[in-house]
Amino acid sequence: MLYSGPVNPTFSRRLSWPAPPNALSLLRAELEGGGRRVLDFSASNPTRVGLPSLFAPGRAGTAGPDALAGAEKLLYAPDPRGLASAREALVRFYAGGGGGRRASPPLDPASLFLCASTSEAYGWLFKLLCDPGDSVLVPRPGYPLFDYLAGLESVEARPYRLEYAHPRGWRIDLESVEAALRAGRARALVLINPNNPTGSYAAPAERAALLELCARHGTAIIADEVFFGFPVEAEPEGSSAPRSFLGEDSVLVFVLDGLSKLLGLPQAKLGWIAASGPRAELGEALGRLEIVADSYLSAGTPIMAALPGLLDRERLFGGAARARIAANMAALRSALEEPGSPHRLLRCEGGWTALVESPRIEPEEELARGLLWEEGLWAQPGYFFDMEREAFFTASLILDESALLEGARRYRAYFDRLLA
Ligand SMILES: Cc1ncc(COP(=O)(O)O)c(C=O)c1O
């Protein structure tokens, strides 16, 4: 007989959950539930913005819907690192300068681990590097996902700062990194290269300083490079092009990438870790990571087997996305920055997101509500990303041009009314 007495569930305290409902999301759901069409100015889902899909049927240059069929996809031959053919394809892809990186010496396929997503890769790396209660350093402003991913592994995410000076752009506050490292041992420094939503790559001097600091403190680097291949605004005259952390061997480094952004296929669920570092430490790390990976065996055989053919066609998505984000940034600048405009766009070096700074006539949350209610425009406010000041909103650079311009029009109209 099933037990039918009182239930006193005890749940983990690794997160403060259930999370209180987000008032803005509730309002959006209410409006949409009532039949109102909301324009998502911050849309980041690449499958819903009219960019070419490698899975699309009947279109020249795609892998087509049969990409996931074929004899090699019928068998299950588990390998903790993922299918060798997929890892070898990644080695060739990066060695040839794929994904916006410079051509580089080939990686060792044994240093690559395939998993379901970069989000999962974070979980694996926190398990590899941290005990419960340990900490990792994460960028602020930054994408809120990392607090959850760390919390789910009972790891504390401690912030280091990025600061903005117009028009030069963002820089990493290296003193805040050093202070955070001195305040208590951090097992890893998470570096998003380029960061989301600030769109800033690690500058060469920052890269060198972070490597030196991490070497001194015995801290590994997790370099999330999912947006690396999407440069937006050219570097200022005289500065050098951003560099990937792939193959860096002065400290233990784990570079993350995946199909969500590289090929605009978040539904394919394939991400990977490329590990590098000093020989002995790397050997230890790979052996341990193999145990983590073997415990999950997360990556699906059909998508791994399809990877070589998909990477060969990277340009179909990447080319279109790169052209679109550069054109959109220029279009946003003309739409929002004409002389006398109360808005300005922060410098954006790479990624899919532009940050618009606007007058803080009201708190960001009120402005976001007003945009939704009066203009039917959803724009993520800066506080979602822990910006230090208000008022900022994100605009997506992957929107199709008409949605982007309509979003900019509604955004301006709302502020023009408030400022009148
Ligand atoms: C910087 C960054 N890394 C990782 C992810 C998650 O990607 P995935 O779909 O591979 O888990 C995101 C999601 O937007 C992101 O912004």
Side-chain angles (χ1 to χ4, degrees):
M1 207 175 87
L2 285 177
Y3 174 67
S4 60
V7 182
N8 289 312
T10 51
F11 295 113
S12 155
R13 285 184 305 226
R14 65 192 68 207
L15 286 183
S16 47
W17 49 16
N22 166 339
L24 282 176
S25 307
L26 284 180
L27 176 61
R28 178 179 177 174
E30 193 185 313
L31 291 178
E32 289 181 323
R36 183 103 178 258
R37 285 195 55 194
V38 171
L39 172 59
D40 188 346
F41 203 28
S42 307
S44 59
N45 181 343
T47 66
R48 293 192 177 274
V49 289
L51 281 166
S53 170
L54 284 166
F55 288 159
R59 194 184 157 144
T62 74
D66 295 338
L68 300 177
E72 77 279 35
K73 291 132 191 162
L74 295 177
L75 293 177
Y76 184 44
D79 178 330
R81 284 169 168 77
L83 275 190
S85 59
R87 289 182 286 118
E88 281 152 13
L90 279 173
V91 171
R92 288 193 300 279
F93 180 72
Y94 286 129
R101 291 157 181 87
R102 283 186 227 169
S104 55
L107 302 170
D108 177 357
S111 67
L112 291 170
F113 286 82
L114 304 186
C115 52
S117 63
T118 46
S119 307
E120 183 178 60
Y122 277 103
W124 287 11
L125 292 173
F126 294 157
K127 285 189 232 303
L128 171 75
L129 298 166
C130 305
D131 288 313
D134 280 344
S135 62
V136 295
L137 304 187
V138 297
R140 286 280 182 280
Y143 195 64
L145 176 69
F146 308 111
D147 292 326
Y148 286 91
L149 294 174
L152 285 169
E153 301 302 332
S154 300
V155 166
E156 188 192 355
R158 288 194 282 129
Y160 63 91
R161 288 181 67 238
L162 270 68
E163 63 185 10
Y164 187 76
H166 201 69
R168 194 185 54 84
W170 292 92
R171 63 171 205 96
I172 297 172
D173 176 353
L174 290 167
E175 282 174 21
S176 77
V177 177
E178 190 156 14
L181 286 170
R182 267 204 250 102
R185 176 146 186 231
R187 299 296 175 133
L189 177 130
V190 174
L191 180 80
I192 324 282
N193 190 34
N195 188 35
N196 181 9
T198 61
S200 46
Y201 290 92
E206 292 171 339
R207 186 182 194 284
L210 291 176
L211 288 170
E212 194 274 320
L213 278 172
C214 287
R216 191 146 37 95
H217 288 269
T219 300
I221 293 184
I222 299 176
D224 175 337
E225 297 195 344
V226 297
F227 290 116
F228 193 89
F230 299 96
V232 180
E233 293 184 309
E235 307 92 52
E237 203 71 26
S239 56
S240 37
R243 265 183 68 192
S244 164
F245 279 75
L246 271 180
E248 171 60 51
D249 61 6
S250 61
V251 299
L252 207 45
V253 171
F254 302 92
V255 173
L256 309 186
D257 203 348
L259 294 191
S260 276
K261 310 294 186 286
L262 182 68
L263 301 183
L265 295 173
Q267 76 279 36
K269 303 311 293 178
L270 191 68
W272 50 89
I273 302 169
S276 56
R279 185 186 273 267
E281 267 174 79
L282 178 63
E284 281 260 326
L286 295 179
R288 289 162 195 245
L289 197 49
E290 184 174 316
I291 296 172
V292 179
D294 200 23
S295 308
Y296 290 92
L297 295 168
S298 312
T301 302
I303 187 62
M304 287 193 287
L307 187 66
L310 294 173
L311 290 175
D312 285 344
R313 296 171 172 84
E314 183 268 340
R315 276 181 176 278
L316 182 80
F317 174 79
R322 282 186 279 276
R324 184 180 280 193
I325 61 179
N328 277 349
M329 190 71 196
L332 266 184
R333 286 208 182 278
S334 354
L336 295 176
E337 286 194 324
E338 87 287 10
S341 165
H343 311 289
R344 74 174 179 190
L345 281 145
L346 304 200
R347 186 175 151 68
C348 174
E349 295 169 345
W352 291 2
T353 302
L355 277 168
V356 188
E357 182 173 9
S358 298
R360 189 192 179 280
I361 313 163
E362 289 171 3
E364 264 174 8
E365 175 143 19
E366 285 310 305
L367 294 171
R369 282 179 71 83
L371 283 164
L372 247 181
W373 186 255
E374 293 181 26
E375 293 290 339
L377 187 70
W378 168 263
Q380 283 179 330
Y383 75 81
F384 275 20
F385 307 95
D386 277 336
M387 297 282 285
E388 284 178 355
R389 291 188 295 110
E390 297 193 358
F392 297 91
F393 289 91
T394 64
S396 167
L397 296 172
I398 59 167
L399 286 175
D400 74 53
E401 194 189 5
S402 62
L404 181 93
L405 293 178
E406 173 60 13
R409 190 195 63 72
R410 294 188 198 185
Y411 189 87
R412 280 188 51 159
Y414 174 70
F415 277 93
D416 285 351
R417 273 200 310 281
L418 274 187
L419 289 162

